[in-house]
Amino acid sequence: MSRFTVWTRTVVSRMRGTNRDAGAGFVEYAGLMIIIAGIFTLIDSLGLDGLISTAILNAVTDVIGG
């Protein structure tokens, strides 16, 4: 068998096999954590944390009528 045939069979088996998504969960989770950390860093660096806290407090106060 040529190397190309072996490579083709390996790729096809990984695309159609039972373990085709093995390891994908960790990569997706890590990517999500990086995005969330970036959002929190952006909010903190722009000084929006106080503004967001006040908006949430006002919304909760409006809902509970306090």
Side-chain angles (χ1 to χ4, degrees):
M1 241 190 292
S2 70
R3 285 185 170 183
F4 180 74
T5 305
V6 172
W7 177 82
T8 304
R9 286 187 181 181
T10 303
V11 169
V12 170
S13 68
R14 287 183 183 169
M15 288 173 53
R16 295 184 185 169
T18 57
N19 295 328
R20 65 180 178 259
D21 287 335
F26 174 75
V27 173
E28 292 166 357
Y29 180 73
L32 187 61
M33 290 295 110
I34 290 170
I35 291 171
I36 291 171
I39 290 170
F40 278 114
T41 303
L42 182 66
I43 287 172
D44 188 45
S45 66
L46 292 176
L48 297 176
D49 48 346
L51 182 65
I52 293 172
S53 297
T54 304
I56 292 173
L57 178 64
N58 291 339
V60 170
T61 303
D62 290 342
V63 169
I64 63 173

